[in-house]
Every structure is written in structure tokens, then in C-alpha cells.
Amino acid sequence: DGGAGEGGAASWFGSPLQLAAPSRSLLVPFPTLNASFSSANSGKATASGASDRGARGSTSLVYKQWHPQVSVLFSDIVSYTSMSLENEPEEVMALLHTLFSKFDSMLDVFGVYKVESWGDSYLACTGLHNESQDHAQDLIDFAREMHIAASSITVPNTGEPLQIRVGIHSGPLHTAVVGMCRARYSLFGDTVNTASRMESTGIPGKCQISEDTYNLLSAESKGEWSLRGEVHVKGRGIMTTYIMDPLARLAPVMEH
């Protein structure tokens, strides 16, 4: 599986964690960030596609920002490896395009910022560029609809509804535009790593959140979650997490 997907989460861990920049068509309007991309790629291009800024001694970060409170979501497809082996590449590509298009169509509805998709994995945030006290709830509402959207897609070789696994964690992080060749909008910090672990240690067809995210929810929203208990999280030790089955507990918030 790609990235933080099934069996592959560890490949995304390190210091710093770097993730590709979202396509400009999906960027929340943010002039400073867009200008930073232009600045990072300014100068004469070299054979590699990189700017010659480094050769001219300009290697400083052109954009960086601290975000005090963000919620981060990772998702992957359950049994993606076997699905890729048992279906033609064109079928897998079509399925991923359909799934991610459904996810993308809901971003503005819930105020979610898509950071990246790679392989079967999808990374998104709330509170990153549009600060909101409800960033945790907004991302959970988005996650619920992700599960509903996935269940509307049929796996070609089995005829079964597609299942995903979602993990969410909340906390501070840093962002920056990193590199000179196809400069990357990157996320840095333990919040991102822990969110990925919430997904990789999660349960198929369910959404798992950390206690930090759970504590940001209203009393009513907390009632929708079940205590999973103590989960061993690589790099963090034992963490208390909470689980929700979106398809069993909740009706759709929106029509697809």
C-alpha cells in the first residue's frame, strides 16, 4: 500500500515529515502561500526542473507558519493491496478517481483543506488556514461522509462495498514550502505523525480519534463515540482512543 496505507504507515515517519503540495485547483484562497510557491520556483530552471536559486546561494525557506490548533485526518482503503493484485490497473485507477472525486466534492461543504492523496491514502486538515473552534467536529463530519461515500462504491472483483479506515488527531503543527525542485507544501510535527497512527491502528470501516480530539467535542457529539481503550501507538506508547462506526450510527449529513 502507498504511504500511510495498510502495512505502510511507518514509511511516512521521520523528521521532518514531508508531503506533496496540493494541486492549485484545490487550494483554499491563500495569497501568501500561492506567492510562496511562485517565489520558491522563481529563477532560471535547471535540467532537473529545479530553480537555480540554490546555486545562487538562496536556500532560505520562502514560507513557514505555526498553527496552534489543527485537526488532521488520514484515510486508507481496507485490503487495498489484495484489491490491486486482483483487479486490472485501469480498474483500480478508476476506483481511486471516483473515490477521491467524491471526497474532493465535499471539501468546501465542511471547510476542509486537502493536503494530498497518494496511492490509496488521503490527507486533509481543518483549522489550517481557516481557524475555527469547531475544527475537530468539522473534520469528523467530513470523515463520516467519507465512509458513506466509500460504501457507495463497489469493489470490482468482489462486488462488495468499498471500506476505508480513518484516523484523526488534533494539536499544533508547522507548515512550510520545502525544496527548490517542484517545491513542496509540507507539514511538520508530532500531530501529523499521531494522526497517521490513528489511521494505521484503526479498525476497518470505522473512524478512530485520539483523546485530544475527543476532548474538543461537545457533550452531545461525545455520545456518538465508544471508548476503544488503550492502544499501543509507535513512537507515542499507550494512547486512549475512541471509535465510531459512521454507517451504523449516523445518517448522511448530505446527499451525494
Side-chain angles (χ1 to χ4, degrees):
D1 293 347
E6 195 170 31
S11 65
W12 284 100
F13 287 80
S15 181
L17 176 68
Q18 296 184 4
L19 300 166
S23 65
R24 290 176 181 247
S25 63
L26 292 173
L27 284 171
V28 172
F30 196 53
T32 302
L33 179 56
N34 286 331
S36 297
F37 273 104
S38 298
S39 177
N41 288 297
S42 64
K44 182 179 179 181
T46 65
S48 67
S51 167
D52 65 354
R53 288 174 64 248
R56 292 185 280 114
S58 178
T59 58
S60 60
L61 287 171
V62 297
Y63 166 83
K64 62 180 179 180
Q65 185 170 346
W66 170 251
H67 306 269
Q69 193 59 236
V70 174
S71 288
V72 181
L73 173 152
F74 279 82
S75 77
D76 75 341
I77 294 174
V78 176
S79 301
Y80 178 71
T81 299
S82 60
M83 185 182 76
S84 297
L85 289 172
E86 296 169 11
N87 292 280
E88 293 297 321
E90 291 83 359
E91 292 179 306
V92 176
M93 289 164 53
L95 183 147
L96 289 173
H97 177 68
T98 299
L99 179 66
F100 291 160
S101 293
K102 286 178 179 287
F103 293 171
D104 292 347
S105 71
M106 300 185 294
L107 294 169
D108 288 342
V109 176
F110 297 102
V112 175
Y113 183 90
K114 177 183 178 181
V115 180
E116 174 68 302
S117 60
W118 66 97
D120 65 316
S121 299
Y122 195 93
L123 170 59
C125 304
T126 49
L128 193 62
H129 299 311
N130 296 320
E131 294 185 6
S132 168
Q133 292 184 341
D134 298 324
H135 58 86
Q137 186 62 58
D138 290 341
L139 199 55
I140 286 169
D141 290 342
F142 179 70
R144 180 185 304 128
E145 290 299 318
M146 291 175 74
H147 281 277
I148 294 169
S151 69
S152 70
I153 299 173
T154 301
V155 180
N157 64 307
T158 66
E160 296 294 323
L162 186 69
Q163 276 194 319
I164 60 172
R165 176 174 35 226
V166 173
I168 298 174
H169 177 61
S170 304
L173 57 79
H174 247 109
T175 59
V177 175
V178 175
M180 292 181 292
C181 180
R182 291 177 291 278
R184 301 167 73 87
Y185 181 63
S186 306
L187 308 183
F188 299 84
D190 181 67
T191 296
V192 186
N193 294 349
T194 303
S196 180
R197 295 302 188 197
M198 289 298 99
E199 174 264 306
S200 62
T201 62
I203 299 173
K206 293 181 172 57
C207 181
Q208 177 171 244
I209 62 174
S210 67
E211 190 168 31
D212 287 337
T213 299
Y214 179 81
N215 287 336
L216 294 173
L217 304 179
S218 66
E220 181 180 359
S221 184
K222 286 178 178 177
E224 300 170 350
W225 295 84
S226 299
L227 175 65
R228 185 181 182 186
E230 295 183 340
V231 176
H232 184 268
V233 177
K234 185 176 180 180
R236 288 291 300 267
I238 300 300
M239 292 186 67
T240 299
T241 69
Y242 295 80
I243 290 289
M244 178 179 67
D245 183 342
L247 301 182
R249 286 176 173 264
L250 298 168
V253 174
M254 58 181 288
E255 294 294 330
H256 298 291

